[in-house]
Amino acid sequence: MAAIKVEDISHPPMDQLQGLEYCIDSNPSWVETIALGFQHYILALGTAVMIPSLLVPLMGGSDGDKVRVVQTLLFVEGINTLVQTLFGTRLPTVIGGSYAFMVPIMSIIHDPNLTMIEDPQLRFLSTMRAVQGALIVASSIQIILGFSQIWAICSRFFSPLGMVPVISLVGFGLFDRGFVLVGDCVEIGIPMLILFTIISQYLKNFHIREQPILERFALLISTTVIWVYADLLTAGGAYKHRKQVTQHSCRTDRANLISSAPWIKIPYPLEWGAPTFDAGHCFGMVAAVLVSLVESTGAYKAASRLASATPPPAHVLSRGIGWQGIGILLNGMFGTLTGSTVSVENVGLLGSTRIGSRRVIQVSAGFMIFFSMLGKFGALFASIPFPIFAAVYCVLFGLVASVGLSFLQFTNMNSMRNLFITGVALFLGLSIPEYFREYTTKAGHGPAYTKAGWFNDFLNTIFFSSPTVASIIAVFLDNTLEYKHSARDRGMPWWARFRTFNEDSRNVEFYSLPFNLNRFFPPS
């Protein structure tokens, strides 16, 4: 028997993923670019509709208020995405709404001073203004940490090993928005999951005019087919005698978005009135901003890999966080009812389509802004049943999580130290937030429950986030446990090339500012 060669049983570490069709600064044809941008827009609708749909009714708002918030959120998402791709990290990332802000916002909604307001419309406006004020104040944290380069200094403590749990749990930590929501309407959720998988993976080699159309547009094709199927089920009376929860998830005529949406409406700052400021509300929101910062850091690193770029240098990462803070400030000024973070599902779509073009994401931002102003048309697409999005999330969140695991190739996983850190950070990153979720479901409040509401919001928000918990544990262990003699095992020799802008010549190609702005803002 011939001797087994080492290259037959192992694969050398690679800076960039193989098989990507277009990288960050290469572009498909304009027709494909527009179609791919529209596909990213459709995917971004899931979170943009879900967050206002959950929060606005609790605030006393009407269907009309919900539509206005959805429109405003999409409008600001488009602006933030354009700004981030032009002046921030310049990675092809959609900057969307964040569930990390749910805990402090729910606390504001249940504030006794607001719940005692009897008029629903007045209560909605008062609550919206309180949320706006908290977002405006809390946004200063990311602005300061980003533009002062403090986050760049902090990121020097990161290693490939320390980042594995963080990036992986950016995807894995969202498991409660996957099959859990598919199960709310299995009639359309499971067919969507199966169809999307078949088209994007099993039929990806099917070409039309030498183009892998099915692979690139699997989301649009499968969403259209299942949406029509869901409409037929609704029209045929399949859900007439089902529970209200099932009808709300399955029916295509339950969202009331189209009927409530105006034909044309341009969102503008302070539309809901002057923001109000409360110290307790602001302090709780600061925790959500910190969580958004950690989650976005992991998502940016995943996006760089799926866009066939080098990991963003510390200076670029900090610059992106600063602009993301500006984005949260805009969220507060316009009244979007949530803050900003990197849309994980859109990062996953980069890998599914194998197209990491920056221009595609910029076109998707144009669609967000355009359809947010044309209310009826935007509401039509926003009325897609949420289990359709949840089915796609099952694939795309998992893809982002696997990108995080791919960083293990730069570390020594025969080291017990590395196995300990990776395993403990991953497990506790999932287990601790799950404990906080179950406790809150049973008790009606989080495990942190003292007389100081701001303190409760701060701790509960931090420990609800899987990437944040994993980051705290992994970075602490990685920088304290036998760290002096484990630089090579941690992957630091490979990582060192990407810690500063000028260390790798490819950084200039990927991350330089447009319009020759590097003359005024030289990279460090």
Side-chain angles (χ1 to χ4, degrees), residues 229-401:
Y229 168 63
D231 198 49
L232 291 174
L233 289 178
T234 301
Y239 306 112
K240 279 186 178 179
H241 305 293
R242 303 287 290 275
K243 296 179 181 178
Q244 285 298 316
V245 175
T246 303
Q247 291 196 36
H248 181 76
S249 298
C250 298
R251 294 181 68 101
T252 57
D253 58 357
R254 285 283 173 172
N256 296 326
L257 293 175
I258 301 175
S259 59
S260 304
W263 281 103
I264 298 177
K265 178 71 170 65
I266 301 176
Y268 56 90
L270 306 182
E271 179 178 352
W272 314 99
T276 58
F277 301 91
D278 179 274
H281 297 165
C282 295
F283 196 84
M285 199 67 75
V286 165
V289 168
L290 293 174
V291 167
S292 168
L293 183 153
V294 174
E295 292 180 350
S296 294
T297 297
Y300 284 132
K301 292 185 181 297
S304 68
R305 196 143 177 81
L306 290 171
S308 198
T310 56
H315 164 82
V316 172
L317 185 62
S318 197
R319 185 178 73 195
I321 292 299
W323 280 108
Q324 191 169 299
I326 297 292
I328 297 175
L329 176 62
L330 291 178
N331 288 129
M333 293 294 292
F334 278 82
T336 62
L337 211 53
T338 184
S340 294
T341 192
V342 177
S343 173
V344 178
E345 53 268 35
N346 288 89
V347 173
L349 189 58
L350 299 177
S352 177
T353 59
R354 296 194 295 146
I355 294 178
S357 168
R358 183 190 295 124
R359 182 183 292 174
V360 168
I361 300 303
Q362 291 170 338
V363 168
S364 76
F367 278 116
M368 292 176 201
I369 295 172
F370 180 73
F371 282 116
S372 67
M373 294 187 290
L374 296 180
K376 293 290 186 184
F377 292 101
L380 172 65
F381 299 118
S383 63
I384 299 172
F386 196 76
I388 291 178
F389 292 108
V392 179
Y393 294 168
C394 291
V395 176
L396 301 184
F397 289 162
L399 185 56
V400 173

Side-chain angles (χ1 to χ4, degrees), residues 47 51 55 73 76-77 80 95-102 105 131 135 139 142 285 288-289 292 324 327-332 336-342:
T47 300
I51 292 177
L55 296 178
L73 178 53
V76 176
E77 279 186 15
N80 288 341
I95 306 300
S98 172
Y99 287 92
F101 292 81
M102 293 290 280
I105 290 175
V131 173
L135 284 170
S139 67
Q142 280 198 15
M285 199 67 75
V289 168
S292 168
Q324 191 169 299
I328 297 175
L329 176 62
L330 291 178
N331 288 129
T336 62
L337 211 53
T338 184
S340 294
T341 192
V342 177

Side-chain angles (χ1 to χ4, degrees), residues 9 40 73-74 110 159 201 212 295 301 303 328 355 376 385 397-398 405 456 458 482 499 508 517 521:
I9 59 174
H40 275 276
L73 178 53
L74 280 171
H110 293 112
S159 71
Q201 300 302 316
E295 292 180 350
K301 292 185 181 297
I328 297 175
I355 294 178
K376 293 290 186 184
F397 289 162
L405 295 177
N456 302 337
F458 192 90
E482 301 176 9
R499 295 173 73 177
V508 176
L517 289 175
F521 305 99

Side-chain angles (χ1 to χ4, degrees), residues 391-472:
V392 179
Y393 294 168
C394 291
V395 176
L396 301 184
F397 289 162
L399 185 56
V400 173
S402 65
V403 170
L405 295 177
S406 75
F407 279 86
L408 289 173
Q409 66 183 302
F410 307 113
T411 68
N412 177 16
M413 291 313 291
N414 291 313
S415 163
M416 284 304 302
R417 172 195 180 275
N418 288 4
L419 291 173
F420 175 84
I421 293 173
T422 304
V424 170
L426 283 171
F427 183 83
L428 291 181
L430 288 170
S431 189
I432 291 176
E434 182 63 17
Y435 163 73
F436 271 69
R437 277 189 286 266
E438 288 195 9
Y439 191 103
T440 302
T441 301
K442 294 176 181 177
H445 57 77
Y449 189 61
T450 66
K451 293 182 179 180
W454 59 268
F455 178 77
N456 302 337
D457 292 344
F458 192 90
L459 283 186
N460 290 330
T461 300
I462 292 292
F463 290 103
F464 256 84
S465 167
S466 291
T468 306
V469 173
S471 175
I472 294 170

Side-chain angles (χ1 to χ4, degrees), residues 82-218:
L82 277 178
V83 168
Q84 190 64 235
T85 55
L86 284 172
F87 308 114
T89 61
R90 307 217 67 214
L91 288 165
T93 51
V94 170
I95 306 300
S98 172
Y99 287 92
F101 292 81
M102 293 290 280
V103 172
I105 290 175
M106 289 294 289
S107 179
I108 294 174
I109 291 173
H110 293 112
D111 187 317
N113 293 325
L114 295 171
T115 55
M116 66 184 296
I117 301 174
E118 294 183 0
D119 181 16
Q121 185 63 24
L122 181 58
R123 177 158 56 90
F124 167 76
L125 291 174
S126 300
T127 306
M128 174 63 81
R129 292 166 187 166
V131 173
Q132 286 183 263
L135 284 170
I136 290 171
V137 173
S139 67
S140 62
I141 299 298
Q142 280 198 15
I143 294 173
I144 293 171
L145 289 176
F147 290 127
S148 68
Q149 292 296 305
I150 292 176
W151 190 240
I153 297 172
C154 294
S155 68
R156 296 182 187 277
F157 291 96
F158 302 159
S159 71
L161 181 72
M163 283 292 97
V164 166
V166 181
I167 302 172
S168 295
L169 292 188
V170 164
F172 286 144
L174 297 172
F175 67 88
D176 58 328
R177 272 160 253 162
F179 201 82
V180 175
L181 297 177
V182 170
D184 288 343
C185 187
V186 294
E187 296 94 327
I188 61 177
I190 291 180
M192 179 65 188
L193 177 59
I194 294 173
L195 184 62
F196 179 71
T197 302
I198 290 174
I199 294 176
S200 65
Q201 300 302 316
Y202 289 94
L203 300 180
K204 64 182 180 182
N205 293 322
F206 179 81
H207 289 57
I208 298 177
R209 294 184 179 179
E210 299 183 356
Q211 297 295 327
I213 298 298
L214 294 184
E215 179 186 39
R216 290 182 185 175
F217 301 103

